Amino acid sequence: MCLHRSGETISRLFTRVCNAVNRLHPHLLKKPEPTLEDSTDRRWKWLKNCLGALDGTYIKCLVPLEDKPRYRTRKNDISTNVLGVCSQDMQFIYVLAGWEGLAADSRVLRDVLLRPRGLKVPRPYYYL
């Protein structure tokens, strides 16, 4: 037996899950710790003061017909642009979802860095 759900039902439930994750973020997201000079980790010891890595990805989504042009990616998918930031041990530090698929990664990153409660990168640290 195959069960079907409307796009509206999936969207509503996905929003509820996202809101629950947002409320749990202090418990789910790790605080970044820089790579120290005396690090023995063979992968990270060369990257002094590195807090972790960041990257963007697209997640397919359903949007109203009038919004589809903004969410259409260069590969013609309807997607939202998601930025994820991880520590060296692959624990999430920060996640931002919701940008249109049309938005460039640099635009999403600039927005994350300028938000009042966005990603903070203290000097002299950095993310790859």
Side-chain angles (χ1 to χ4, degrees), residues 24-103:
L24 292 170
H25 86 274
H27 306 287
L28 297 175
L29 299 179
K30 181 180 179 174
K31 300 286 185 222
E33 295 175 11
T35 304
L36 303 175
E37 275 189 54
D38 60 352
S39 175
T40 57
D41 186 327
R42 63 180 173 77
R43 295 168 296 179
W44 292 93
K45 69 181 180 180
W46 312 105
L47 304 169
K48 180 182 151 212
N49 291 336
C50 181
L51 295 170
L54 59 87
D55 197 11
T57 190
Y58 294 109
I59 297 177
K60 290 184 180 183
C61 63
L62 297 173
V63 296
L65 189 60
E66 63 271 9
D67 290 336
K68 282 192 177 189
R70 292 189 356 243
Y71 284 86
R72 191 173 306 281
T73 67
R74 61 186 173 83
K75 293 185 178 179
N76 218 25
D77 292 326
I78 304 300
S79 301
T80 184
N81 199 336
V82 179
L83 175 77
V85 182
C86 292
S87 64
Q88 295 100 334
D89 57 353
M90 300 302 290
Q91 300 293 312
F92 279 105
I93 295 170
Y94 189 89
V95 177
L96 175 71
W99 268 91
E100 302 97 343
L102 184 64

Side-chain angles (χ1 to χ4, degrees), residues 92-113:
F92 279 105
I93 295 170
Y94 189 89
V95 177
L96 175 71
W99 268 91
E100 302 97 343
L102 184 64
D105 289 344
S106 59
R107 186 173 166 204
V108 176
L109 179 59
R110 183 174 53 244
D111 177 59
V112 165
L113 295 173

